[in-house]
Amino acid sequence: MLHVLARRVRYSLLVLWGVVSLVFLLFNVLPGDPARLTLGQRSDLSSLENARHELNLDKPLFTRYWLYINDLLPIGIHNKDSATARKYQYIALFSVSKEKCIVLKWPYLGRSYRTKREVNAVLGDALPGTAILALTAMTFASIAGILLGMLAALKKDTWLDTSAIAASVAGISLPSFVAALFIAYIFGYLLHNITGLNMTGSLWEYDAFTGKHLAIRNLILPAFALGIRPLAIITQLTRSSMLDVLNQDYVRTAYAKGLSTTKVVFRHALPNALNPVVTTVSGWLAELLAGSFFVEYIFGWKGVGRITVDALDKFDFPLVMGSVLLTAFIFIIVNLFTDLLYSWLDPRVRLH
């Protein structure tokens, strides 16, 4: 198991390095002057030169790439000067020369062009909202999908089975942002007086009298819209897996021993049918964390997706780059966990 873990970690690090390199090249060869975007169109020449120096735009491309990688690494080489201390906090490990030392630090993603805040802090404030939304959507999709898939398998070739298949095909075919638009309009606007749900809103609301308070109702519509596609896939996968398991010899033996349908399904069939479902749930959780951008924007949900779309609109490249890297990191970590979990659940599977 350890050699499998080491191999997967090496592969994941290579993928992450490729993503970092691609993101750097994309945002460093785009047309336009990042310094002018930072200061505005009416900035003077002296301010532009200072901004270019601060953003390392006055250095060759390879030097900028090395400085970017050095900022991202948790262990890097940095100068022993006040500029580095102003840039971020670090712990000096040991010196390599009179001017340079090896330091331990958090990955540094730069500062937002618009707010001047560190990208780490901006993403740290937004990440809990995205995580709560993705976990809620995945919990809803998992519970509802497993139940619907199990019922469809037990009621094979009935109207319930046909309806579940048709609904799951429609759910897979409908993009999340299209579903979000319909759901927001119908339940948040047309039926607002009945549902009491809003078209837009975040997890926390502010009131002039009560102050900051939790608004769980704002989570319902975006979680439902985001969970429709994984719900449809989990339903079909559970149905298919359950049908395979129900035809196995040990299930027939359990029925022959006189066990009730409930015991056979929940004690013998369902646990064995959930192996592929568990890996699908893990993979979809990573995709929901990475793919909630437009759903968050449509519902006005404060999360990584919404601030990324806003940053793209305002050409805030450091924030966009940091968001892309954070999303890629989460996706890689969750998929690594999924591979290991699958090999543990099913010993017949060997990762190569």
mmCIF file of all heavy atoms in Angstrom, residues 212-245:
data_model
loop_
_atom_site.group_PDB
_atom_site.id
_atom_site.type_symbol
_atom_site.label_atom_id
_atom_site.label_comp_id
_atom_site.label_asym_id
_atom_site.label_seq_id
_atom_site.Cartn_x
_atom_site.Cartn_y
_atom_site.Cartn_z
ATOM 1 N N LYS A 212 -25.298 40.146 12.296
ATOM 2 C CA LYS A 212 -24.972 38.985 11.468
ATOM 3 C C LYS A 212 -25.714 37.754 11.969
ATOM 4 O O LYS A 212 -25.684 37.437 13.155
ATOM 5 C CB LYS A 212 -23.462 38.739 11.506
ATOM 6 C CG LYS A 212 -22.983 37.602 10.624
ATOM 7 C CD LYS A 212 -21.468 37.487 10.714
ATOM 8 C CE LYS A 212 -20.954 36.339 9.853
ATOM 9 N NZ LYS A 212 -19.472 36.203 9.949
ATOM 10 N N HIS A 213 -26.400 37.048 11.040
ATOM 11 C CA HIS A 213 -27.115 35.837 11.429
ATOM 12 C C HIS A 213 -27.062 34.823 10.298
ATOM 13 O O HIS A 213 -26.874 35.174 9.131
ATOM 14 C CB HIS A 213 -28.566 36.147 11.806
ATOM 15 C CG HIS A 213 -29.374 36.716 10.668
ATOM 16 N ND1 HIS A 213 -29.364 38.053 10.354
ATOM 17 C CD2 HIS A 213 -30.205 36.118 9.772
ATOM 18 C CE1 HIS A 213 -30.145 38.267 9.311
ATOM 19 N NE2 HIS A 213 -30.667 37.116 8.941
ATOM 20 N N LEU A 214 -27.229 33.554 10.666
ATOM 21 C CA LEU A 214 -27.160 32.443 9.715
ATOM 22 C C LEU A 214 -28.440 32.363 8.893
ATOM 23 O O LEU A 214 -29.539 32.446 9.432
ATOM 24 C CB LEU A 214 -26.943 31.138 10.474
ATOM 25 C CG LEU A 214 -26.491 29.916 9.683
ATOM 26 C CD1 LEU A 214 -25.122 30.144 9.058
ATOM 27 C CD2 LEU A 214 -26.435 28.695 10.610
ATOM 28 N N ALA A 215 -28.298 32.208 7.567
ATOM 29 C CA ALA A 215 -29.455 32.124 6.666
ATOM 30 C C ALA A 215 -29.385 30.805 5.894
ATOM 31 O O ALA A 215 -28.950 30.763 4.734
ATOM 32 C CB ALA A 215 -29.479 33.319 5.713
ATOM 33 N N ILE A 216 -29.799 29.723 6.539
ATOM 34 C CA ILE A 216 -29.744 28.397 5.928
ATOM 35 C C ILE A 216 -30.616 28.321 4.678
ATOM 36 O O ILE A 216 -30.310 27.590 3.731
ATOM 37 C CB ILE A 216 -30.173 27.322 6.946
ATOM 38 C CG1 ILE A 216 -29.199 27.287 8.131
ATOM 39 C CG2 ILE A 216 -30.240 25.951 6.296
ATOM 40 C CD1 ILE A 216 -27.810 26.853 7.768
ATOM 41 N N ARG A 217 -31.722 29.090 4.649
ATOM 42 C CA ARG A 217 -32.634 29.007 3.504
ATOM 43 C C ARG A 217 -31.945 29.398 2.202
ATOM 44 O O ARG A 217 -32.350 28.937 1.122
ATOM 45 C CB ARG A 217 -33.855 29.893 3.744
ATOM 46 C CG ARG A 217 -33.562 31.383 3.758
ATOM 47 C CD ARG A 217 -34.830 32.190 3.970
ATOM 48 N NE ARG A 217 -34.562 33.625 3.894
ATOM 49 C CZ ARG A 217 -34.118 34.358 4.884
ATOM 50 N NH1 ARG A 217 -33.883 33.782 6.070
ATOM 51 N NH2 ARG A 217 -33.895 35.651 4.739
ATOM 52 N N ASN A 218 -30.912 30.243 2.273
ATOM 53 C CA ASN A 218 -30.195 30.638 1.057
ATOM 54 C C ASN A 218 -29.343 29.509 0.488
ATOM 55 O O ASN A 218 -28.873 29.605 -0.646
ATOM 56 C CB ASN A 218 -29.300 31.848 1.342
ATOM 57 C CG ASN A 218 -30.099 33.102 1.632
ATOM 58 O OD1 ASN A 218 -31.248 33.243 1.200
ATOM 59 N ND2 ASN A 218 -29.503 34.025 2.370
ATOM 60 N N LEU A 219 -29.144 28.445 1.279
ATOM 61 C CA LEU A 219 -28.336 27.308 0.823
ATOM 62 C C LEU A 219 -29.153 26.312 0.012
ATOM 63 O O LEU A 219 -28.581 25.548 -0.775
ATOM 64 C CB LEU A 219 -27.718 26.619 2.050
ATOM 65 C CG LEU A 219 -26.855 25.380 1.846
ATOM 66 C CD1 LEU A 219 -25.626 25.701 0.997
ATOM 67 C CD2 LEU A 219 -26.424 24.812 3.197
ATOM 68 N N ILE A 220 -30.469 26.327 0.155
ATOM 69 C CA ILE A 220 -31.315 25.274 -0.418
ATOM 70 C C ILE A 220 -31.265 25.271 -1.946
ATOM 71 O O ILE A 220 -30.976 24.240 -2.578
ATOM 72 C CB ILE A 220 -32.765 25.426 0.085
ATOM 73 C CG1 ILE A 220 -32.821 25.236 1.596
ATOM 74 C CG2 ILE A 220 -33.684 24.426 -0.625
ATOM 75 C CD1 ILE A 220 -34.181 25.495 2.195
ATOM 76 N N LEU A 221 -31.551 26.398 -2.567
ATOM 77 C CA LEU A 221 -31.633 26.439 -4.030
ATOM 78 C C LEU A 221 -30.288 26.194 -4.714
ATOM 79 O O LEU A 221 -30.217 25.391 -5.651
ATOM 80 C CB LEU A 221 -32.235 27.776 -4.475
ATOM 81 C CG LEU A 221 -33.703 28.017 -4.098
ATOM 82 C CD1 LEU A 221 -34.202 29.322 -4.686
ATOM 83 C CD2 LEU A 221 -34.576 26.861 -4.565
ATOM 84 N N PRO A 222 -29.191 26.859 -4.311
ATOM 85 C CA PRO A 222 -27.922 26.559 -4.987
ATOM 86 C C PRO A 222 -27.445 25.127 -4.771
ATOM 87 O O PRO A 222 -26.872 24.520 -5.683
ATOM 88 C CB PRO A 222 -26.942 27.576 -4.379
ATOM 89 C CG PRO A 222 -27.578 28.070 -3.146
ATOM 90 C CD PRO A 222 -29.047 27.991 -3.371
ATOM 91 N N ALA A 223 -27.689 24.556 -3.575
ATOM 92 C CA ALA A 223 -27.291 23.166 -3.339
ATOM 93 C C ALA A 223 -28.113 22.214 -4.207
ATOM 94 O O ALA A 223 -27.579 21.230 -4.744
ATOM 95 C CB ALA A 223 -27.456 22.823 -1.858
ATOM 96 N N PHE A 224 -29.398 22.498 -4.364
ATOM 97 C CA PHE A 224 -30.254 21.675 -5.216
ATOM 98 C C PHE A 224 -29.809 21.759 -6.677
ATOM 99 O O PHE A 224 -29.715 20.742 -7.372
ATOM 100 C CB PHE A 224 -31.706 22.127 -5.071
ATOM 101 C CG PHE A 224 -32.680 21.355 -5.913
ATOM 102 C CD1 PHE A 224 -32.809 19.983 -5.777
ATOM 103 C CD2 PHE A 224 -33.456 21.998 -6.868
ATOM 104 C CE1 PHE A 224 -33.702 19.260 -6.563
ATOM 105 C CE2 PHE A 224 -34.348 21.294 -7.659
ATOM 106 C CZ PHE A 224 -34.465 19.917 -7.501
ATOM 107 N N ALA A 225 -29.526 22.984 -7.148
ATOM 108 C CA ALA A 225 -29.084 23.157 -8.535
ATOM 109 C C ALA A 225 -27.742 22.480 -8.786
ATOM 110 O O ALA A 225 -27.538 21.850 -9.835
ATOM 111 C CB ALA A 225 -28.983 24.656 -8.861
ATOM 112 N N LEU A 226 -26.829 22.582 -7.833
ATOM 113 C CA LEU A 226 -25.505 21.987 -8.001
ATOM 114 C C LEU A 226 -25.540 20.468 -7.873
ATOM 115 O O LEU A 226 -24.697 19.775 -8.450
ATOM 116 C CB LEU A 226 -24.550 22.578 -6.958
ATOM 117 C CG LEU A 226 -23.052 22.329 -7.138
ATOM 118 C CD1 LEU A 226 -22.560 22.906 -8.454
ATOM 119 C CD2 LEU A 226 -22.270 22.916 -5.982
ATOM 120 N N GLY A 227 -26.506 19.934 -7.139
ATOM 121 C CA GLY A 227 -26.553 18.501 -6.907
ATOM 122 C C GLY A 227 -27.347 17.707 -7.920
ATOM 123 O O GLY A 227 -27.386 16.470 -7.840
ATOM 124 N N ILE A 228 -27.982 18.375 -8.902
ATOM 125 C CA ILE A 228 -28.836 17.661 -9.855
ATOM 126 C C ILE A 228 -28.035 16.674 -10.698
ATOM 127 O O ILE A 228 -28.423 15.499 -10.847
ATOM 128 C CB ILE A 228 -29.591 18.658 -10.747
ATOM 129 C CG1 ILE A 228 -30.708 19.335 -9.943
ATOM 130 C CG2 ILE A 228 -30.185 17.951 -11.967
ATOM 131 C CD1 ILE A 228 -31.488 20.350 -10.728
ATOM 132 N N ARG A 229 -26.923 17.089 -11.272
ATOM 133 C CA ARG A 229 -26.146 16.196 -12.147
ATOM 134 C C ARG A 229 -25.553 15.014 -11.396
ATOM 135 O O ARG A 229 -25.688 13.861 -11.841
ATOM 136 C CB ARG A 229 -25.062 16.981 -12.868
ATOM 137 C CG ARG A 229 -25.594 18.002 -13.858
ATOM 138 C CD ARG A 229 -24.510 18.487 -14.788
ATOM 139 N NE ARG A 229 -24.146 17.447 -15.730
ATOM 140 C CZ ARG A 229 -22.966 17.406 -16.379
ATOM 141 N NH1 ARG A 229 -22.068 18.328 -16.121
ATOM 142 N NH2 ARG A 229 -22.706 16.458 -17.229
ATOM 143 N N PRO A 230 -24.859 15.208 -10.239
ATOM 144 C CA PRO A 230 -24.391 14.017 -9.511
ATOM 145 C C PRO A 230 -25.526 13.133 -9.016
ATOM 146 O O PRO A 230 -25.380 11.914 -8.952
ATOM 147 C CB PRO A 230 -23.586 14.618 -8.344
ATOM 148 C CG PRO A 230 -23.997 16.031 -8.253
ATOM 149 C CD PRO A 230 -24.359 16.450 -9.627
ATOM 150 N N LEU A 231 -26.675 13.726 -8.691
ATOM 151 C CA LEU A 231 -27.837 12.935 -8.305
ATOM 152 C C LEU A 231 -28.244 11.997 -9.427
ATOM 153 O O LEU A 231 -28.500 10.796 -9.207
ATOM 154 C CB LEU A 231 -28.996 13.856 -7.942
ATOM 155 C CG LEU A 231 -30.397 13.233 -7.837
ATOM 156 C CD1 LEU A 231 -30.438 12.204 -6.718
ATOM 157 C CD2 LEU A 231 -31.450 14.300 -7.617
ATOM 158 N N ALA A 232 -28.292 12.497 -10.653
ATOM 159 C CA ALA A 232 -28.686 11.673 -11.797
ATOM 160 C C ALA A 232 -27.679 10.556 -12.047
ATOM 161 O O ALA A 232 -28.056 9.395 -12.301
ATOM 162 C CB ALA A 232 -28.822 12.556 -13.036
ATOM 163 N N ILE A 233 -26.394 10.868 -11.948
ATOM 164 C CA ILE A 233 -25.361 9.851 -12.200
ATOM 165 C C ILE A 233 -25.357 8.796 -11.104
ATOM 166 O O ILE A 233 -25.247 7.586 -11.381
ATOM 167 C CB ILE A 233 -23.985 10.538 -12.313
ATOM 168 C CG1 ILE A 233 -23.935 11.392 -13.585
ATOM 169 C CG2 ILE A 233 -22.860 9.511 -12.318
ATOM 170 C CD1 ILE A 233 -22.676 12.192 -13.736
ATOM 171 N N ILE A 234 -25.477 9.217 -9.844
ATOM 172 C CA ILE A 234 -25.494 8.255 -8.736
ATOM 173 C C ILE A 234 -26.719 7.353 -8.831
ATOM 174 O O ILE A 234 -26.649 6.159 -8.526
ATOM 175 C CB ILE A 234 -25.455 9.007 -7.389
ATOM 176 C CG1 ILE A 234 -24.088 9.657 -7.201
ATOM 177 C CG2 ILE A 234 -25.737 8.065 -6.228
ATOM 178 C CD1 ILE A 234 -24.004 10.578 -5.998
ATOM 179 N N THR A 235 -27.858 7.898 -9.268
ATOM 180 C CA THR A 235 -29.065 7.087 -9.433
ATOM 181 C C THR A 235 -28.836 5.976 -10.448
ATOM 182 O O THR A 235 -29.139 4.798 -10.188
ATOM 183 C CB THR A 235 -30.247 7.965 -9.876
ATOM 184 O OG1 THR A 235 -30.522 8.945 -8.877
ATOM 185 C CG2 THR A 235 -31.498 7.125 -10.105
ATOM 186 N N GLN A 236 -28.302 6.318 -11.604
ATOM 187 C CA GLN A 236 -28.062 5.308 -12.637
ATOM 188 C C GLN A 236 -27.012 4.292 -12.197
ATOM 189 O O GLN A 236 -27.158 3.088 -12.436
ATOM 190 C CB GLN A 236 -27.622 5.984 -13.928
ATOM 191 C CG GLN A 236 -28.751 6.675 -14.679
ATOM 192 C CD GLN A 236 -28.414 6.905 -16.138
ATOM 193 O OE1 GLN A 236 -27.290 6.717 -16.569
ATOM 194 N NE2 GLN A 236 -29.402 7.314 -16.910
ATOM 195 N N LEU A 237 -25.951 4.775 -11.558
ATOM 196 C CA LEU A 237 -24.879 3.866 -11.141
ATOM 197 C C LEU A 237 -25.360 2.913 -10.054
ATOM 198 O O LEU A 237 -25.048 1.711 -10.075
ATOM 199 C CB LEU A 237 -23.688 4.683 -10.638
ATOM 200 C CG LEU A 237 -22.425 3.899 -10.292
ATOM 201 C CD1 LEU A 237 -21.910 3.149 -11.507
ATOM 202 C CD2 LEU A 237 -21.343 4.836 -9.767
ATOM 203 N N THR A 238 -26.140 3.428 -9.092
ATOM 204 C CA THR A 238 -26.668 2.571 -8.034
ATOM 205 C C THR A 238 -27.619 1.519 -8.607
ATOM 206 O O THR A 238 -27.587 0.349 -8.213
ATOM 207 C CB THR A 238 -27.400 3.420 -6.982
ATOM 208 O OG1 THR A 238 -26.509 4.403 -6.453
ATOM 209 C CG2 THR A 238 -27.907 2.549 -5.843
ATOM 210 N N ARG A 239 -28.463 1.939 -9.525
ATOM 211 C CA ARG A 239 -29.400 0.996 -10.154
ATOM 212 C C ARG A 239 -28.645 -0.119 -10.864
ATOM 213 O O ARG A 239 -28.950 -1.317 -10.685
ATOM 214 C CB ARG A 239 -30.292 1.729 -11.149
ATOM 215 C CG ARG A 239 -31.239 0.819 -11.936
ATOM 216 C CD ARG A 239 -31.984 1.586 -13.002
ATOM 217 N NE ARG A 239 -32.856 0.698 -13.763
ATOM 218 C CZ ARG A 239 -32.466 -0.002 -14.820
ATOM 219 N NH1 ARG A 239 -31.188 0.063 -15.229
ATOM 220 N NH2 ARG A 239 -33.316 -0.802 -15.454
ATOM 221 N N SER A 240 -27.653 0.247 -11.677
ATOM 222 C CA SER A 240 -26.890 -0.757 -12.419
ATOM 223 C C SER A 240 -26.128 -1.695 -11.488
ATOM 224 O O SER A 240 -26.130 -2.918 -11.672
ATOM 225 C CB SER A 240 -25.919 -0.054 -13.366
ATOM 226 O OG SER A 240 -25.100 -0.974 -14.039
ATOM 227 N N SER A 241 -25.497 -1.127 -10.466
ATOM 228 C CA SER A 241 -24.730 -1.944 -9.530
ATOM 229 C C SER A 241 -25.645 -2.860 -8.721
ATOM 230 O O SER A 241 -25.312 -4.031 -8.475
ATOM 231 C CB SER A 241 -23.926 -1.027 -8.598
ATOM 232 O OG SER A 241 -23.120 -1.771 -7.725
ATOM 233 N N MET A 242 -26.800 -2.346 -8.311
ATOM 234 C CA MET A 242 -27.742 -3.170 -7.549
ATOM 235 C C MET A 242 -28.271 -4.323 -8.389
ATOM 236 O O MET A 242 -28.432 -5.452 -7.889
ATOM 237 C CB MET A 242 -28.903 -2.310 -7.056
ATOM 238 C CG MET A 242 -28.615 -1.522 -5.793
ATOM 239 S SD MET A 242 -28.446 -2.570 -4.324
ATOM 240 C CE MET A 242 -30.124 -3.200 -4.168
ATOM 241 N N LEU A 243 -28.566 -4.082 -9.659
ATOM 242 C CA LEU A 243 -29.051 -5.157 -10.527
ATOM 243 C C LEU A 243 -28.019 -6.268 -10.668
ATOM 244 O O LEU A 243 -28.356 -7.462 -10.683
ATOM 245 C CB LEU A 243 -29.418 -4.590 -11.898
ATOM 246 C CG LEU A 243 -30.692 -3.735 -11.963
ATOM 247 C CD1 LEU A 243 -30.870 -3.147 -13.352
ATOM 248 C CD2 LEU A 243 -31.915 -4.562 -11.560
ATOM 249 N N ASP A 244 -26.724 -5.889 -10.767
ATOM 250 C CA ASP A 244 -25.662 -6.900 -10.852
ATOM 251 C C ASP A 244 -25.570 -7.712 -9.564
ATOM 252 O O ASP A 244 -25.432 -8.945 -9.596
ATOM 253 C CB ASP A 244 -24.315 -6.222 -11.137
ATOM 254 C CG ASP A 244 -24.248 -5.658 -12.543
ATOM 255 O OD1 ASP A 244 -25.019 -6.121 -13.400
ATOM 256 O OD2 ASP A 244 -23.419 -4.748 -12.771
ATOM 257 N N VAL A 245 -25.642 -7.018 -8.435
ATOM 258 C CA VAL A 245 -25.510 -7.703 -7.144
ATOM 259 C C VAL A 245 -26.710 -8.614 -6.874
ATOM 260 O O VAL A 245 -26.564 -9.726 -6.356
ATOM 261 C CB VAL A 245 -25.331 -6.674 -6.011
ATOM 262 C CG1 VAL A 245 -25.425 -7.346 -4.649
ATOM 263 C CG2 VAL A 245 -23.995 -5.954 -6.154
#
